[in-house]
Amino acid sequence: MRIVTVVGARPQFIKAAAVSRVIRTAYARQVDEVLVHTGQHYDDNMSQVFFDELDIPRPGYNLSISGGGHGAMTGRMLEALEEVLQRERPHWVLVYGDTNSTLAAALAAAKLHIPVAHVEAGLRSFNMRMPEEVNRVLADRVSALLLCPTATAVANLAAEGIREGVRQVGDVMYDVSLYYRERARGGSDALRRLGLRERGYVLATCHRAENTDDPRRLQAIAQALGEIAQGTPLVLPLHPRTRKLLAERGWLDLLAGARLVDPLAFLDMVALEQGAAAIVTDSGGVQKEAFFYGVPCVTMRDETEWVETVEAGANRLVGASRQAIVAAVRDALGGAGVASSAQPYGDGHAAERVVEHLLDEARPSTQ
Ligand code: UDP
């Protein structure tokens, strides 16, 4: 069976690594995976470092498409992916998450009548102003196999009338966290390098368009993180887009007390997450990793797709108000840990289930 996997952005490299490893270790004889990198994330520290560290095979195609508006980027990807898919004629196109690469690949495949399998199907923020929500709703609509991480995701699809092809497999990010949690402890010297003490610092990330592209929200976030950094060491690995926007507006100064670093390699990030006293973020992946590692999380968004982390009392949604962010992080620092016995994200074998469903539910090749 041939699968074309399409990835383009940092979180997709991490999720695809888990499934790709299962294919290479347990199904190498049954499954031929062709990896396509759209080029959406291209900086070494947003892309190549993940291929190296997570042992992801070299992509068969690198389309080198990045930048421009959402429409231009998605359009160029659509055109290039159509060519790739016509040449490869796979049994499945496998897509992850909610980026422009996800949407372009799903659409290109659907138009060629190649079945699409979507990992992270059914996640919803119910906020259609988010580019991610548009991408995931549309990708789900054209997918034949909807591989859901949670029961919530299955219920979201049912509410939209989508029941066929829906499979709850668990969250591949949870698989990843189990695989790397010990490896990161031994394999990263990030705490030492940054002069940090275990449980003695806050880890922050910010990159969602709803925060970076709204000047009021971005300023409030920069002020809040700067204020927190006055009292507790705060490390902020800065997404290239966030750094650019902060620099353009002259707001990097608001973060004068924080440790601003370039985007981190994965093992360093996992080590810093595990050692943090609290995490403050707008990232989907980082919210869950905080939950997996029992670190209290404050989420600078108005809604989350990962509602289970909030229901478990491990994550607080505070939007982008300066006071609310500062108060919630102080609370998190003052409270006990948040180890939760809830297991909403599966049993750590989601990636195996993804491959098993692909094998079981493949139609004869269209070749
Ligand atoms: N990540 C990383 N280095 C960083 C920031 C994040 O390795 O400097 C990892 C993080 O641990 C998580 C993933 O990237 O696994 C999350 O990706 P991102 O926040 O870009 O996207 P989202 O999850 O919000 O879609």
Side-chain angles (χ1 to χ4, degrees), residues 4-36:
V4 167
T5 297
V6 180
V7 292
R10 172 170 67 189
Q12 294 170 323
F13 308 140
I14 299 167
K15 294 162 199 166
V19 175
S20 225
R21 184 177 319 105
V22 169
I23 293 176
R24 276 173 293 129
T25 52
Y27 295 94
R29 285 214 295 228
Q30 289 127 287
V31 182
D32 165 29
E33 183 185 36
V34 178
L35 199 62
V36 180

Side-chain angles (χ1 to χ4, degrees), residues 43-182:
D43 290 332
D44 268 359
N45 56 18
M46 296 290 288
S47 174
Q48 189 56 45
V49 69
F50 293 91
F51 282 78
D52 295 342
E53 230 176 44
L54 279 67
D55 271 332
I56 309 172
R58 216 182 136 78
Y61 296 84
N62 194 327
L63 307 179
S64 303
I65 298 170
S66 63
H70 283 281
M73 188 201 292
T74 312
R76 282 185 291 148
M77 287 177 184
L78 191 55
E79 184 176 1
L81 285 165
E82 186 170 63
E83 250 179 63
V84 171
L85 297 181
Q86 271 167 333
R87 189 166 326 136
E88 296 291 339
R89 280 279 152 198
H91 294 86
W92 288 108
V93 170
L94 181 59
V95 298
Y96 291 86
D98 54 25
T99 70
N100 290 339
S101 304
T102 314
L103 176 61
L107 214 46
K111 298 253 183 176
L112 294 171
H113 305 152
I114 300 171
V116 178
H118 184 200
V119 174
E120 281 196 357
L123 292 183
R124 295 291 182 267
S125 65
F126 302 102
N127 174 1
M128 280 298 263
R129 290 180 56 81
M130 285 178 74
E132 295 90 345
E133 184 78 352
V134 176
N135 291 340
R136 54 171 96 96
V137 167
L138 296 178
D140 282 345
R141 187 65 190 79
V142 297
S143 290
L145 192 51
L146 297 107
L147 300 158
C148 296
T150 58
T152 311
V154 174
N156 289 340
L157 290 174
E160 293 173 18
I162 304 177
R163 290 189 175 79
E164 211 176 310
V166 175
R167 309 281 179 267
Q168 187 178 338
V169 292
D171 181 13
V172 292
M173 288 292 290
Y174 183 48
D175 299 15
V176 171
S177 76
L178 294 177
Y179 190 82
Y180 285 102
R181 70 196 317 157
E182 289 311 317

Side-chain angles (χ1 to χ4, degrees), residues 64-329:
S64 303
I65 298 170
S66 63
H70 283 281
M73 188 201 292
T74 312
R76 282 185 291 148
M77 287 177 184
L78 191 55
E79 184 176 1
L81 285 165
E82 186 170 63
E83 250 179 63
V84 171
L85 297 181
Q86 271 167 333
R87 189 166 326 136
E88 296 291 339
R89 280 279 152 198
H91 294 86
W92 288 108
V93 170
L94 181 59
V95 298
Y96 291 86
D98 54 25
T99 70
N100 290 339
S101 304
T102 314
L103 176 61
L107 214 46
K111 298 253 183 176
L112 294 171
H113 305 152
I114 300 171
V116 178
H118 184 200
V119 174
E120 281 196 357
L123 292 183
R124 295 291 182 267
S125 65
F126 302 102
N127 174 1
M128 280 298 263
R129 290 180 56 81
M130 285 178 74
E132 295 90 345
E133 184 78 352
V134 176
N135 291 340
R136 54 171 96 96
V137 167
L138 296 178
D140 282 345
R141 187 65 190 79
V142 297
S143 290
L145 192 51
L146 297 107
L147 300 158
C148 296
T150 58
T152 311
V154 174
N156 289 340
L157 290 174
E160 293 173 18
I162 304 177
R163 290 189 175 79
E164 211 176 310
V166 175
R167 309 281 179 267
Q168 187 178 338
V169 292
D171 181 13
V172 292
M173 288 292 290
Y174 183 48
D175 299 15
V176 171
S177 76
L178 294 177
Y179 190 82
Y180 285 102
R181 70 196 317 157
E182 289 311 317
R183 282 176 174 80
R185 285 189 178 277
S188 164
D189 64 350
L191 268 83
R192 192 187 51 72
R193 224 169 56 228
L194 294 168
L196 299 167
R197 215 168 28 80
E198 187 109 357
R199 304 279 161 245
Y201 63 94
V202 173
L203 175 66
T205 78
C206 173
H207 76 290
R208 285 255 98 70
E210 73 211 55
N211 286 332
T212 59
D213 296 1
D214 177 336
R216 281 217 309 236
R217 291 179 75 104
L218 185 62
Q219 186 179 29
I221 287 172
Q223 286 169 333
L225 299 183
E227 193 177 328
I228 295 163
Q230 302 303 318
T232 313
L234 181 141
V235 190
L236 175 60
L238 260 185
H239 194 283
R241 198 180 64 239
T242 314
R243 181 181 286 275
K244 180 168 161 277
L245 289 163
L246 284 169
E248 276 170 16
R249 296 194 173 265
W251 289 341
L252 283 167
D253 287 352
L254 298 174
L255 291 157
R259 297 288 304 271
L260 303 190
V261 295
D262 283 336
L264 293 165
F266 189 61
L267 290 185
D268 285 345
M269 185 65 182
V270 170
L272 287 189
E273 285 173 338
Q274 291 185 86
I279 292 178
V280 50
T281 188
D282 60 7
S283 155
V286 176
Q287 283 173 64
K288 271 181 304 160
E289 285 164 340
F291 177 77
F292 300 150
Y293 301 133
V295 177
C297 187
V298 173
T299 295
M300 303 181 290
R301 288 187 51 198
D302 300 328
E303 67 279 307
T304 181
E305 300 76 19
W306 304 105
V307 290
E308 303 79 9
T309 59
V310 177
E311 284 158 9
N315 187 11
R316 263 177 78 180
L317 286 180
V318 293
S321 127
R322 173 184 180 169
Q323 291 84 352
I325 297 168
V326 172
V329 171

